[in-house]
Amino acid sequence: MGTPIQTSALEGTDQPAAELVQVSSGVTQLQLTDGLLLELRQQSQRLESALPQTIIQWAVNRFGGKLTMATAFGPEGCTILHLLSEIDPQVHVFNLDTGYQFPETLQLRERIKQRYGIEVELMRPETTVQEYEQLHGGPLYKTNPDQCCFDRKVSVLRRAVQGKHAWISAIRRDQSPDRRNAPIVGWDDKFNLVKINPLANLTKNDIWNLITKHDIPYNPLHDQGYLSIGCWPCTRSVMIGEDERAGRWGGTAKTECGLHSLSIEPLQPAAL
């Protein structure tokens, strides 16, 4: 669990707003308390109809250097990177580089760096794709995509957010059933972090209007029918009339990689 090292009172109450727990040398983790939960609910309600810029500014003010963001360089993520460049370009941003990303996605990372001066850190699994596939007798995404996502995304994110207290996500409520009830600000018990969703209330059209208005860099695969882009083996272009996430894990009931899913994830990494 770790050792409690700091608490602070929630304004106007005797509830502790937050408790920091030291989990290792120099690394603290935010511990959920009744006071923190109350604060998050109050802020989420206050920010429900706020502009994304206002929500991000609150997150920067509230968490400072303990704030981070994960991005897969989707239209929503690139929109937040654009906003961060105006609010605080020093916020730590990372990408889960599974080894299966499209070349266009990695090229977009460089375009973002050139445009905004934001260098998105690539966080990688402990094994290369070749090593991983050798350990499992071939591509695991073909036989057990949930485990592949867990090993090469979820586990990596847990490592990436060590020492952070909050993360910004680019999800929208209208993207999938699992995202429909996402709060603007909430507690992510999967990663023991505060989760901020500044784009939750926006639509796909809202995002693309912002991209067009501000000439925000985006993945050229979107112009080829790839509405939602993940790893290349599990992503296809979408037909007219299909849901925007229909191209992810086609032919299966899977719609989420596990980062934002409400379903139960594998408890342990796959045996190596």
Side-chain angles (χ1 to χ4, degrees):
M1 282 288 294
T3 305
I5 60 173
Q6 180 182 338
T7 60
S8 58
L10 180 64
E11 183 177 354
T13 78
D14 57 1
Q15 295 268 23
E19 182 176 277
L20 299 183
V21 173
Q22 185 167 322
V23 294
S24 63
S25 178
V27 177
T28 60
Q29 177 179 301
L30 200 62
Q31 192 80 3
L32 182 63
T33 63
D34 290 342
L36 177 59
L37 190 58
L38 176 61
E39 177 194 1
L40 300 183
R41 287 173 177 167
Q42 290 174 340
Q43 293 300 331
S44 190
Q45 183 177 16
R46 182 180 72 84
L47 296 167
E48 175 62 33
S49 58
L51 293 172
Q53 297 94 315
T54 302
I55 299 167
I56 294 171
Q57 186 66 68
W58 171 82
V60 168
N61 294 343
R62 175 64 175 82
F63 298 104
K66 296 296 185 180
L67 178 67
T68 190
M69 174 189 170
T71 182
F73 299 105
E76 294 79 12
C78 291
T79 298
I80 293 181
L81 287 168
H82 169 79
L83 296 175
L84 278 177
S85 74
E86 299 177 336
I87 297 169
D88 186 355
Q90 301 305 312
V91 170
H92 176 251
V93 185
F94 65 93
N95 164 264
L96 300 173
D97 186 14
T98 62
Y100 293 112
Q101 294 194 101
F102 285 92
E104 290 88 345
T105 302
L106 297 175
Q107 292 162 7
L108 178 56
R109 172 179 177 260
E110 294 305 311
R111 290 166 55 206
I112 292 289
K113 179 181 177 180
Q114 293 172 8
R115 170 74 179 272
Y116 299 119
I118 297 175
E119 185 165 5
V120 177
E121 182 179 11
L122 296 176
M123 299 296 298
R124 299 184 171 100
E126 295 181 355
T127 57
T128 66
V129 165
Q130 183 178 6
E131 291 168 342
Y132 187 69
E133 292 186 357
Q134 286 178 345
L135 287 166
H136 295 289
L140 197 61
Y141 59 78
K142 291 184 177 181
T143 57
N144 192 346
D146 286 336
Q147 191 67 61
C148 186
C149 287
F150 182 80
D151 292 341
R152 303 195 72 79
K153 277 191 164 185
V154 177
S155 295
V156 180
L157 190 142
R158 284 186 172 144
R159 175 161 46 87
V161 299
Q162 285 184 0
K164 299 298 185 180
H165 297 168
W167 71 303
I168 296 173
S169 163
I171 64 173
R172 304 190 332 262
R173 287 172 177 159
D174 65 351
Q175 285 175 317
S176 72
D178 272 349
R179 304 179 183 194
R180 189 169 297 142
N181 297 317
I184 300 297
V185 181
W187 179 255
D188 188 335
D189 55 9
K190 183 176 292 185
F191 300 108
N192 291 317
L193 294 167
V194 174
K195 186 174 183 180
I196 299 111
N197 301 306
L199 306 182
N201 277 326
L202 272 62
T203 66
K204 180 174 69 174
N205 286 340
D206 292 332
I207 296 297
W208 282 103
N209 285 339
L210 287 169
I211 288 173
T212 301
K213 179 179 179 180
H214 299 286
D215 193 26
I216 298 172
Y218 66 90
N219 196 320
L221 289 173
H222 292 301
D223 295 330
Q224 301 174 36
Y226 291 82
L227 301 188
S228 178
I229 300 171
C231 296
W232 66 261
C234 301
T235 304
R236 65 165 174 84
S237 59
V238 173
M239 305 293 288
I240 295 175
E242 283 189 303
D243 181 83
E244 67 179 290
R245 290 184 64 80
R248 305 292 294 275
W249 305 283
T252 75
K254 182 176 172 63
T255 59
E256 294 282 353
C257 65
L259 301 181
H260 309 291
S261 176
L262 300 179
S263 60
I264 297 174
E265 65 190 44
L267 296 179
Q268 298 291 337
L272 301 181

